[in-house]
mmCIF file of all heavy atoms in Angstrom:
data_model
loop_
_atom_site.group_PDB
_atom_site.id
_atom_site.type_symbol
_atom_site.label_atom_id
_atom_site.label_comp_id
_atom_site.label_asym_id
_atom_site.label_seq_id
_atom_site.Cartn_x
_atom_site.Cartn_y
_atom_site.Cartn_z
ATOM 1 N N SER A 1 10.160 9.356 -9.633
ATOM 2 C CA SER A 1 10.421 9.017 -8.299
ATOM 3 C C SER A 1 9.103 9.158 -7.547
ATOM 4 O O SER A 1 8.742 8.296 -6.660
ATOM 5 C CB SER A 1 11.395 9.876 -7.603
ATOM 6 O OG SER A 1 12.673 9.708 -8.203
ATOM 7 N N ALA A 2 8.309 10.189 -7.869
ATOM 8 C CA ALA A 2 7.057 10.394 -7.239
ATOM 9 C C ALA A 2 6.085 9.338 -7.459
ATOM 10 O O ALA A 2 5.303 8.837 -6.773
ATOM 11 C CB ALA A 2 6.460 11.744 -7.616
ATOM 12 N N PHE A 3 6.032 8.838 -8.803
ATOM 13 C CA PHE A 3 5.189 7.853 -9.254
ATOM 14 C C PHE A 3 5.419 6.484 -8.522
ATOM 15 O O PHE A 3 4.563 5.762 -8.062
ATOM 16 C CB PHE A 3 5.309 7.499 -10.791
ATOM 17 C CG PHE A 3 4.403 6.389 -11.195
ATOM 18 C CD1 PHE A 3 3.021 6.690 -11.277
ATOM 19 C CD2 PHE A 3 4.925 5.205 -11.677
ATOM 20 C CE1 PHE A 3 2.157 5.569 -11.784
ATOM 21 C CE2 PHE A 3 4.017 4.205 -12.116
ATOM 22 C CZ PHE A 3 2.688 4.416 -12.173
ATOM 23 N N PHE A 4 6.687 6.087 -8.357
ATOM 24 C CA PHE A 4 7.112 4.940 -7.599
ATOM 25 C C PHE A 4 6.755 5.087 -6.067
ATOM 26 O O PHE A 4 6.437 4.154 -5.449
ATOM 27 C CB PHE A 4 8.538 4.480 -7.768
ATOM 28 C CG PHE A 4 8.862 3.938 -9.138
ATOM 29 C CD1 PHE A 4 9.439 4.682 -10.215
ATOM 30 C CD2 PHE A 4 8.461 2.642 -9.444
ATOM 31 C CE1 PHE A 4 9.739 4.004 -11.348
ATOM 32 C CE2 PHE A 4 8.594 2.050 -10.614
ATOM 33 C CZ PHE A 4 9.319 2.705 -11.665
ATOM 34 N N GLY A 5 6.886 6.340 -5.677
ATOM 35 C CA GLY A 5 6.356 6.539 -4.235
ATOM 36 C C GLY A 5 4.894 6.364 -4.222
ATOM 37 O O GLY A 5 4.448 5.724 -3.094
ATOM 38 N N LEU A 6 4.154 6.643 -5.188
ATOM 39 C CA LEU A 6 2.646 6.409 -5.144
ATOM 40 C C LEU A 6 2.453 4.903 -5.164
ATOM 41 O O LEU A 6 1.509 4.414 -4.425
ATOM 42 C CB LEU A 6 2.005 7.061 -6.380
ATOM 43 C CG LEU A 6 0.620 6.649 -6.565
ATOM 44 C CD1 LEU A 6 -0.330 7.250 -5.551
ATOM 45 C CD2 LEU A 6 0.015 7.095 -7.912
ATOM 46 N N LEU A 7 3.206 4.214 -5.963
ATOM 47 C CA LEU A 7 2.994 2.740 -5.988
ATOM 48 C C LEU A 7 3.260 2.169 -4.562
ATOM 49 O O LEU A 7 2.497 1.270 -4.101
ATOM 50 C CB LEU A 7 3.832 2.140 -7.046
ATOM 51 C CG LEU A 7 3.625 2.421 -8.533
ATOM 52 C CD1 LEU A 7 4.544 1.700 -9.445
ATOM 53 C CD2 LEU A 7 2.170 2.173 -8.912
ATOM 54 N N ILE A 8 4.324 2.616 -3.969
ATOM 55 C CA ILE A 8 4.566 2.151 -2.527
ATOM 56 C C ILE A 8 3.486 2.478 -1.612
ATOM 57 O O ILE A 8 3.070 1.679 -0.765
ATOM 58 C CB ILE A 8 5.898 2.664 -2.003
ATOM 59 C CG1 ILE A 8 7.029 2.098 -2.935
ATOM 60 C CG2 ILE A 8 6.084 2.438 -0.573
ATOM 61 C CD1 ILE A 8 7.231 0.532 -2.808
ATOM 62 N N THR A 9 2.918 3.650 -1.757
ATOM 63 C CA THR A 9 1.795 4.132 -0.996
ATOM 64 C C THR A 9 0.568 3.260 -1.116
ATOM 65 O O THR A 9 -0.014 2.806 -0.145
ATOM 66 C CB THR A 9 1.401 5.654 -1.304
ATOM 67 O OG1 THR A 9 2.463 6.448 -1.083
ATOM 68 C CG2 THR A 9 0.194 6.128 -0.538
ATOM 69 N N MET A 10 0.260 2.835 -2.268
ATOM 70 C CA MET A 10 -0.834 1.984 -2.605
ATOM 71 C C MET A 10 -0.581 0.577 -2.050
ATOM 72 O O MET A 10 -1.405 -0.036 -1.560
ATOM 73 C CB MET A 10 -1.137 2.047 -4.088
ATOM 74 C CG MET A 10 -1.667 3.361 -4.634
ATOM 75 S SD MET A 10 -1.674 3.485 -6.519
ATOM 76 C CE MET A 10 -2.785 2.277 -6.817
ATOM 77 N N ALA A 11 0.667 0.111 -2.194
ATOM 78 C CA ALA A 11 1.005 -1.253 -1.770
ATOM 79 C C ALA A 11 0.938 -1.315 -0.267
ATOM 80 O O ALA A 11 0.260 -2.266 0.310
ATOM 81 C CB ALA A 11 2.344 -1.604 -2.274
ATOM 82 N N VAL A 12 1.405 -0.394 0.377
ATOM 83 C CA VAL A 12 1.560 -0.391 1.969
ATOM 84 C C VAL A 12 -0.031 -0.223 2.403
ATOM 85 O O VAL A 12 -0.388 -0.980 3.369
ATOM 86 C CB VAL A 12 2.324 0.713 2.434
ATOM 87 C CG1 VAL A 12 2.127 0.863 4.009
ATOM 88 C CG2 VAL A 12 3.790 0.383 2.154
ATOM 89 N N GLY A 13 -0.759 0.593 1.797
ATOM 90 C CA GLY A 13 -2.184 0.732 2.248
ATOM 91 C C GLY A 13 -2.945 -0.556 1.937
ATOM 92 O O GLY A 13 -3.728 -0.905 2.829
ATOM 93 N N ALA A 14 -2.661 -1.221 0.790
ATOM 94 C CA ALA A 14 -3.472 -2.444 0.552
ATOM 95 C C ALA A 14 -2.896 -3.543 1.520
ATOM 96 O O ALA A 14 -3.826 -4.319 2.065
ATOM 97 C CB ALA A 14 -3.100 -2.967 -0.842
ATOM 98 N N ILE A 15 -1.715 -3.658 1.862
ATOM 99 C CA ILE A 15 -1.254 -4.659 2.850
ATOM 100 C C ILE A 15 -1.745 -4.465 4.184
ATOM 101 O O ILE A 15 -2.298 -5.373 4.810
ATOM 102 C CB ILE A 15 0.314 -4.668 2.886
ATOM 103 C CG1 ILE A 15 0.866 -5.266 1.488
ATOM 104 C CG2 ILE A 15 0.853 -5.492 3.995
ATOM 105 C CD1 ILE A 15 2.340 -5.058 1.387
ATOM 106 N N LEU A 16 -1.667 -3.189 4.697
ATOM 107 C CA LEU A 16 -2.161 -2.923 5.989
ATOM 108 C C LEU A 16 -3.712 -3.003 6.029
ATOM 109 O O LEU A 16 -4.261 -3.491 7.072
ATOM 110 C CB LEU A 16 -1.704 -1.520 6.478
ATOM 111 C CG LEU A 16 -0.154 -1.387 6.667
ATOM 112 C CD1 LEU A 16 0.090 0.181 7.086
ATOM 113 C CD2 LEU A 16 0.322 -2.355 7.671
ATOM 114 N N GLY A 17 -4.390 -2.620 4.998
ATOM 115 C CA GLY A 17 -5.789 -2.791 4.997
ATOM 116 C C GLY A 17 -6.185 -4.296 5.025
ATOM 117 O O GLY A 17 -7.178 -4.598 5.714
ATOM 118 N N GLY A 18 -5.447 -5.047 4.225
ATOM 119 C CA GLY A 18 -5.792 -6.489 4.320
ATOM 120 C C GLY A 18 -5.543 -7.102 5.602
ATOM 121 O O GLY A 18 -6.291 -7.955 6.145
ATOM 122 N N LEU A 19 -4.449 -6.670 6.303
ATOM 123 C CA LEU A 19 -4.146 -7.156 7.821
ATOM 124 C C LEU A 19 -5.385 -6.724 8.600
ATOM 125 O O LEU A 19 -5.739 -7.491 9.474
ATOM 126 C CB LEU A 19 -2.801 -6.698 8.275
ATOM 127 C CG LEU A 19 -1.577 -7.272 7.475
ATOM 128 C CD1 LEU A 19 -0.333 -6.536 8.005
ATOM 129 C CD2 LEU A 19 -1.551 -8.748 7.772
ATOM 130 N N LEU A 20 -5.767 -5.456 8.524
ATOM 131 C CA LEU A 20 -6.862 -5.041 9.336
ATOM 132 C C LEU A 20 -8.084 -5.879 9.084
ATOM 133 O O LEU A 20 -8.816 -6.275 10.057
ATOM 134 C CB LEU A 20 -7.176 -3.513 9.066
ATOM 135 C CG LEU A 20 -8.325 -2.952 9.882
ATOM 136 C CD1 LEU A 20 -8.074 -2.955 11.341
ATOM 137 C CD2 LEU A 20 -8.527 -1.453 9.390
ATOM 138 N N ALA A 21 -8.493 -6.149 7.793
ATOM 139 C CA ALA A 21 -9.580 -6.877 7.458
ATOM 140 C C ALA A 21 -9.496 -8.355 8.073
ATOM 141 O O ALA A 21 -10.458 -8.917 8.468
ATOM 142 C CB ALA A 21 -9.857 -6.903 5.936
ATOM 143 N N ALA A 22 -8.249 -8.867 7.888
ATOM 144 C CA ALA A 22 -8.068 -10.192 8.356
ATOM 145 C C ALA A 22 -8.185 -10.348 9.871
ATOM 146 O O ALA A 22 -8.874 -11.272 10.369
ATOM 147 C CB ALA A 22 -6.650 -10.685 7.987
ATOM 148 N N ALA A 23 -7.733 -9.323 10.645
ATOM 149 C CA ALA A 23 -7.865 -9.245 12.083
ATOM 150 C C ALA A 23 -9.353 -9.243 12.454
ATOM 151 O O ALA A 23 -9.832 -9.822 13.386
ATOM 152 C CB ALA A 23 -6.983 -8.137 12.619
ATOM 153 N N GLY A 24 -10.029 -8.370 11.678
ATOM 154 C CA GLY A 24 -11.568 -8.176 12.036
ATOM 155 C C GLY A 24 -12.253 -9.486 11.747
ATOM 156 O O GLY A 24 -13.122 -9.951 12.521
#
């Protein structure tokens, strides 16, 4: 469960980081 939580953490971070970069 923790590993899948890590995958979600990385996915959300990548998506939000991409949105921030796109906005910039």
Side-chain angles (χ1 to χ4, degrees):
S1 297
F3 179 73
F4 283 106
L6 171 69
L7 295 182
I8 293 299
T9 300
M10 295 168 63
V12 170
I15 291 168
L16 294 179
L19 290 175
L20 178 65

